[in-house]
Amino acid sequence: MVRIFGPLVGLFFAAALLWSFGVGVVQQIREPDPSTAVKDFHRDPKEDVAFSFDGPFGKFDNRQLQRGFQVYKEVCSNCHSLKQIAFRNLADLGYNEAEVKAVAKQWGTKAKTFDAKTGEAGERANLPSDHIPAVYYAGTGNPPDLSLITKARHGGAHYVYSLLTGYTTQPAKLLKRYPDSATPDGLYYNPYFSNLNIAMPAPLTTDGQVTYSDGTKATVDQMARDVAAFLTWTAEPKLEKRKQTGWAVLGFLAAATALAYLSKRTIWANLH
Amino acid sequence: MADGAIIDGADSTDAGVRRRDFIHIAALSLGGVGGLAALVPLIAQMSASDDVLAESSTEIDISAIAAGQAIKTIWRKQPVFVRNLTPAEVAAAQSVDATKLRDPQSLADRTKPGKANWLITMGVCTHLGCVPLGAGQGEVKGEFGGYFCPCHGSIYDTAARIRKGPAPKNLEVPPYVFSSDTVVKIG
Amino acid sequence: MSFPWANQYKPSNAFTSWLDEKLPLPRFVYNAIGGGYPVPRNLNYAWNFGVLAGFCLVLQIVTGVTLAMHYAANAGVAFDSVEHIMRDVNWGWLMRYGHANGASAFFVVVYIHIFRGFFYSSYKAPREMIWLLGVVIFLLMMATAFMGYVLPWGQMSFWGAKVITGLFSAIPLVGEPLQQWLLGGFAPDDAALNRFYALHFLLPFVIAGVIILHIWALHIPGSSNPTGIEIKTESDTVPFHPYYTAKDGFGLGIFLLIYCAVLFFFPNALGHPDNYIPANPLSTPAHIVPEWYFWPFYAILRAFTADFLFIPAKLMGVLAMFSAILVWFFLPWLDTSPVRSGHFRPLFRKFYWLLVIDVLVLGYCGGSPAETKYVLISQIGATYYFLHFLVILPIVSSIEKPQPLPFSITDHVLGTDAKTVAA
């Protein structure tokens, strides 16, 4: 039975697939998949920027993270939330308790309160245990929450850096080849963005837009790097601990496996 | 181990046997150590997480509590009573001979120096953990004018000391400091 | 099988002999994976993967139960509860990465286990039942993995759930109501998330149960071996313990080294970035792809692009995708060659490697965006896949002239198989 019906079923599927294949090939010849502006002009994130946390021994540079936080606070936080981060987490960047408390207290958006008895909504100053309050953005576009942005995009920190420094005017070649693909009003051309046209205007435009308290020169490139590093930390605060634990575990496993091999060899030695 | 037969190979000298045994024991021991080490995170994950620990201290504004009034607040997910004692209540608490009580403590033991009118205690009866009455407006305060636990009738005085009923201890005083005259930090 | 020379369990002290009378558990273990189970002496490292698969299941259950202590199956908070695990729970990141990569490790191990079975024809009599139970385990694993991937409630979770349950809507007449029943609604939401969570928790224990049957069935004929010839004498075997416990211990070490290297240094390499975006029913990701271990089957699903005869393409795709696994159930009866091991089947061996390449190509296409070139390649790949199992195997097994087999396992191991017999 199986040997009769099996081949029949097999040939049936094969016929259906080859039919699909044939139809597909004919279609492809008649009207090939059109090339698109995105296919031709989208760019992968720049890989030539080195970050301190790259590689298996990588670590965060706390001063850079603090600078990145400053860029987030003064620039990004006008539109973008960071809701996975609580103020207390900032202690990881090297801020002491009083500084964390002060940052929380002075944060522009206040924590929401709700009086269950009167039904009244109110506000209070943020506490270190509070998460950074959500930002509600009424303009065009939907600024994504940035907490996990470096994990949610191919290229991670490199993507953020490339996007922030990648704004440019639309190439004439693109307009010539795809006249319909001109960047619409209110959008901005950026070859690192998935569909080339992003609703966010270039956020980092001038050197010195942020005044770093550690004296680092705030070039656009520097600010983009710093905020990309900061957003890597927000996406994965446990990165350093993970890598450190990893080395200890691998070291232990290497020793245990070597011994297991010797033990296995000894046991089998008498057999062959 | 049942593998004596295997280890007694044709060429086994005493030293060889010992070296081989050592390899097996070392391999098994390392395996055991690895297994135990893997238990550490599995057990530790159940202890309080960082967000819970972040709420281990609470700041309370006491400026709005008039003499004779009390508020119920929450610290570490448990009720805390903050009570502004009237001079009469302070006097009543101080007039008792503390040494004769079930859980001998004076009012001074239970309040901060110079702040004898601020009685801050857990709102958890030391008997079986009910929340005693007496902090809310219009609640029964019991015959000693402090707190009354409705579950089994424990009665506390104006220093929240146990005076009658089954509870063995006074209401617990949580660790706290006055951050300023109007703000108390508990925990 | 109870070979007459198998070691007998002897209680070593008063307590174990008391226990052996009341509850012969030590005896059971001794006979199953101890000194009382004679195993062919010539097993190669491909035979390590059964034990590794068992280890992976334990790993998944242990990390999974700890995650369950912190996870909240509610569409409003599921995503944040996973981030809470990653950030605030002590060692939560280790549990979560360990579980996510553990699923991948489980599938790597099981795929190698299955392809070992293909090469050595481990599915052949008298081991058909072991094979059938194995396919059941694999199907249960796929269901479990799919539902587990929905739980973090990221974009891929949501759209994966929508697309996969949407497959059922291809079934004529009952399709639409069936999809609604599966989801408990019109689109994935709380109801779907909650039931997936409940089943994701339950199914691993069902898998554990079927694994016990799988191993039970294994112990009736005993383990197969790379020569594919049966055990003849005691010299063909060694006791499982200490020989294979030691070998499995070493294998486990190598496995853990690779698993931990990925877990600690590339924890997101096998996942999709979109799943770090919270589920959004209003915006579909540019490319919906399942986890890598589903890619070959996903490619088969997408390969059907034109209606065939009177059957809609969508239904054909769904039928083919399920059939791609269901054909494995019939393998013992499709491959009728009297010789088991691929080592002695020159023609079979060529097609076997072609299948390996075919599945890898299908996997690559399944993970790529649905562009015409990948679809066209998948169509050829899927054609070979079905022809391989349903047409080529039956033909090869009847026309192939196998190479001579060694007389016994011992002869093969010692290289003294001067006397050879055709099976």
Side-chain angles (χ1 to χ4, degrees):
Chain A
M1 284 290 272
V2 172
R3 258 158 285 157
I4 297 165
F5 284 106
L8 288 178
V9 171
L11 291 172
F12 170 73
F13 279 125
L17 281 160
L18 292 176
W19 173 249
S20 286
F21 179 75
V23 170
V25 168
V26 169
Q27 249 170 22
Q28 191 64 11
I29 292 166
R30 276 206 200 134
E31 40 177 326
D33 280 356
S35 197
T36 62
V38 172
K39 253 190 213 163
D40 287 354
F41 288 89
H42 180 262
R43 279 195 233 154
D44 287 334
K46 297 175 198 166
E47 287 297 336
D48 55 349
V49 213
F51 286 103
S52 65
F53 44 79
D54 288 340
F57 293 101
K59 282 186 168 177
F60 288 124
D61 169 0
N62 274 356
R63 285 179 56 194
Q64 181 176 39
L65 296 190
Q66 292 195 8
R67 291 197 301 269
F69 172 59
Q70 199 184 343
V71 175
Y72 168 75
K73 191 170 76 169
E74 295 178 19
V75 183
C76 318
S77 73
N78 290 320
C79 311
H80 291 278
S81 298
L82 198 65
K83 60 179 186 170
Q84 302 294 348
I85 295 294
F87 290 103
R88 63 186 154 85
N89 297 135
L90 295 173
D92 290 5
L93 309 189
Y95 294 110
N96 63 33
E97 209 186 316
E99 287 168 327
V100 170
K101 232 172 155 174
V103 170
K105 201 171 174 183
Q106 288 153 17
W107 198 261
T109 318
K110 300 294 165 200
K112 302 265 179 294
T113 58
F114 177 75
D115 189 330
K117 216 170 155 203
T118 62
E120 274 167 29
E123 281 190 344
R124 63 164 171 75
N126 292 292
L127 297 172
S129 58
D130 288 326
H131 279 237
I132 294 184
V135 179
Y136 297 95
Y137 181 78
T140 44
N142 297 298
D145 184 275
L146 293 183
S147 317
L148 284 159
I149 202 75
T150 55
K151 272 162 122 181
R153 296 289 184 275
H154 286 287
H158 297 273
Y159 170 80
V160 173
Y161 169 81
S162 305
L163 188 86
L164 291 177
T165 55
Y167 284 86
T168 170
T169 49
Q170 210 168 17
K173 234 170 37 186
L174 188 155
L175 287 173
K176 208 173 130 199
R177 213 178 303 167
Y178 306 101
D180 294 344
S181 299
T183 301
D185 275 351
L187 297 186
Y188 304 87
Y189 182 79
N190 192 323
Y192 298 97
F193 190 64
S194 57
N195 68 5
L196 304 180
N197 299 312
I198 186 169
M200 171 173 76
L204 303 172
T205 47
T206 45
D207 291 356
Q209 193 171 343
V210 165
T211 311
Y212 283 139
S213 53
D214 68 356
T216 306
K217 194 161 180 297
T219 59
V220 169
D221 188 79
Q222 184 68 42
M223 289 186 288
R225 265 167 215 255
D226 291 347
V227 82
F230 171 71
L231 291 175
T232 302
W233 170 79
T234 63
E236 180 124 27
K238 302 282 196 245
L239 179 143
E240 275 180 16
K241 192 178 184 193
R242 165 163 68 76
K243 290 179 181 177
Q244 281 160 6
T245 313
W247 283 114
V249 169
L250 287 188
F252 174 84
L253 282 175
T257 307
L259 272 178
Y261 175 69
L262 290 178
S263 171
K264 182 253 167 191
R265 211 181 55 174
T266 320
I267 286 171
W268 282 81
N270 298 313
L271 210 56
H272 299 303
Chain B
M1 292 250 293
D3 47 1
I6 294 118
I7 285 167
D8 288 343
D11 62 337
S12 67
T13 60
D14 278 0
V17 170
R18 248 182 278 124
R19 192 181 65 83
R20 289 170 191 184
D21 270 346
F22 169 76
I23 289 170
H24 301 314
I25 292 166
L28 276 177
S29 314
L30 266 198
V33 169
L36 287 177
L39 283 179
V40 171
L42 292 174
I43 292 168
Q45 55 88 17
M46 278 174 64
S47 59
S49 57
D50 288 355
D51 54 326
V52 172
L53 294 180
E55 289 175 346
S56 59
S57 69
T58 305
E59 288 196 336
I60 299 160
D61 184 356
I62 56 172
S63 56
I65 307 170
Q69 281 189 336
I71 59 160
K72 283 185 212 176
T73 180
I74 288 180
W75 172 66
R76 296 187 179 175
K77 307 280 173 190
Q78 298 193 81
V80 170
F81 297 155
V82 181
R83 185 157 173 172
N84 189 352
L85 299 174
T86 61
E89 285 171 334
V90 173
Q94 282 167 339
S95 67
V96 179
D97 180 1
T99 56
K100 297 216 171 108
L101 297 177
R102 189 180 301 169
D103 182 8
Q105 271 184 317
S106 68
L107 181 65
D109 293 337
R110 298 170 59 74
T111 52
K112 299 288 175 197
K115 305 272 188 192
N117 61 321
W118 288 108
L119 179 69
I120 299 175
T121 61
M122 299 301 294
V124 179
C125 181
T126 55
H127 179 221
L128 292 173
C130 294
V131 180
L133 300 173
Q137 214 154 25
E139 283 181 0
V140 185
K141 292 186 173 176
E143 65 182 278
F144 294 93
Y147 300 105
F148 169 71
C149 182
C151 291
H152 303 93
S154 293
I155 302 171
Y156 299 87
D157 67 11
T158 51
R161 292 175 295 198
I162 181 64
R163 300 294 288 270
K164 245 188 194 178
K169 294 268 187 192
N170 302 335
L171 287 186
E172 192 194 336
V173 177
Y176 68 90
V177 288
F178 279 88
S179 313
S180 70
D181 276 352
T182 56
V183 176
V184 176
K185 186 183 173 199
I186 305 180
Chain C
M1 180 149 63
S2 45
F3 293 100
W5 59 81
N7 294 331
Q8 291 302 308
Y9 175 71
K10 282 188 254 0
S12 55
N13 57 44
F15 171 73
T16 46
S17 59
W18 175 83
L19 185 62
D20 190 45
E21 269 176 36
K22 321 294 172 204
L23 178 73
L25 190 62
R27 176 181 295 273
F28 180 78
V29 172
Y30 182 84
N31 290 337
I33 52 167
Y37 178 43
V39 186
R41 61 189 288 177
N42 60 332
L43 302 189
N44 57 34
Y45 278 102
W47 263 261
N48 277 57
F49 289 86
V51 165
L52 289 181
F55 175 82
C56 286
L57 180 71
V58 173
L59 178 75
Q60 289 304 82
I61 289 180
V62 169
T63 52
V65 167
T66 58
L67 289 173
M69 295 181 190
H70 305 281
Y71 171 75
N74 175 295
V77 294
F79 186 90
D80 289 343
S81 78
V82 172
E83 279 308 309
H84 163 71
I85 291 170
M86 293 295 288
R87 290 155 194 272
D88 290 332
V89 173
N90 298 290
W91 296 98
W93 58 272
L94 181 59
M95 302 299 143
R96 201 275 171 129
Y97 278 153
H99 196 68
N101 287 293
S104 285
F106 200 173
F107 273 95
V108 169
V109 165
V110 163
Y111 275 129
I112 296 175
H113 193 56
I114 291 172
F115 274 82
R116 188 268 284 164
F118 285 154
F119 186 80
Y120 295 104
S121 305
S122 303
Y123 43 78
K124 278 188 188 164
R127 296 186 180 79
E128 309 97 305
M129 185 51 76
I130 313 171
W131 175 258
L132 298 180
L133 290 166
V135 180
V136 170
I137 292 170
F138 182 66
L139 287 171
L140 288 169
M141 275 177 66
M142 294 181 93
T144 310
F146 160 67
M147 289 189 277
Y149 194 57
V150 175
L151 302 185
W153 210 240
Q155 274 289 69
M156 281 297 170
S157 301
F158 179 88
W159 291 98
K162 192 154 183 173
V163 168
I164 298 297
T165 56
L167 296 182
F168 291 90
S169 71
I171 302 170
L173 300 177
V174 294
E176 294 273 337
L178 185 62
Q179 186 191 2
Q180 254 181 48
W181 174 78
L182 282 172
L183 289 174
F186 307 104
D189 201 355
D190 281 336
L193 186 54
N194 258 308
R195 68 191 58 184
F196 285 2
Y197 183 43
L199 293 173
H200 182 72
F201 205 117
L202 169 72
L203 285 184
F205 298 96
V206 178
I207 292 175
V210 185
I211 285 177
I212 289 173
L213 300 182
H214 187 67
I215 297 172
W216 185 5
L218 169 71
H219 280 72
I220 297 191
S223 297
S224 152
N225 70 83
T227 65
I229 54 179
E230 292 296 339
I231 292 164
K232 289 199 170 72
T233 59
E234 181 171 4
S235 70
D236 289 345
T237 67
V238 291
F240 191 86
H241 178 75
Y243 288 94
Y244 286 108
T245 41
K247 195 170 177 179
D248 285 332
F250 170 56
L252 181 64
I254 297 291
F255 164 79
L256 283 175
L257 273 170
I258 298 168
Y259 166 71
C260 287
V262 175
L263 162 55
F264 287 104
F265 297 105
F266 310 98
N268 294 308
L270 296 167
H272 197 289
D274 279 13
N275 225 28
Y276 281 109
I277 304 171
N280 180 358
L282 301 181
S283 145
T284 310
H287 312 297
I288 302 182
V289 284
E291 289 278 84
W292 68 266
Y293 35 81
F294 292 135
W295 285 352
F297 303 102
Y298 193 58
I300 291 176
L301 172 77
R302 287 197 305 195
F304 292 84
T305 48
D307 294 355
F308 183 64
L309 304 177
F310 51 90
I311 309 169
K314 185 177 172 189
L315 180 59
M316 276 304 296
V318 174
L319 282 177
M321 187 179 73
F322 286 111
S323 305
I325 299 166
L326 295 183
V327 290
W328 297 358
F329 278 116
F330 299 95
L331 215 43
W333 298 278
L334 287 165
D335 178 2
T336 54
S337 169
V339 175
R340 293 199 188 93
S341 171
H343 284 308
F344 305 105
R345 302 180 61 189
L347 190 56
F348 167 86
R349 202 159 60 219
K350 291 195 182 79
F351 284 109
Y352 170 83
W353 288 112
L354 203 52
L355 177 72
V356 172
I357 294 165
D358 184 55
V359 169
L360 291 176
V361 168
L362 279 174
Y364 180 78
C365 292
S368 302
E371 288 167 17
T372 311
K373 61 180 170 189
Y374 297 118
V375 172
L376 291 177
I377 298 171
S378 314
Q379 283 159 345
I380 299 301
T383 306
Y384 179 73
Y385 183 92
F386 285 108
L387 289 181
H388 177 90
F389 286 110
L390 292 167
V391 180
I392 294 172
L393 271 189
I395 294 175
V396 164
S397 48
S398 56
I399 63 165
E400 180 179 51
K401 190 175 180 310
Q403 289 164 339
L405 293 174
F407 175 70
S408 74
I409 294 172
T410 311
D411 284 355
H412 185 67
V413 171
L414 301 178
T416 56
D417 46 345
K419 275 195 304 178
T420 51
V421 291

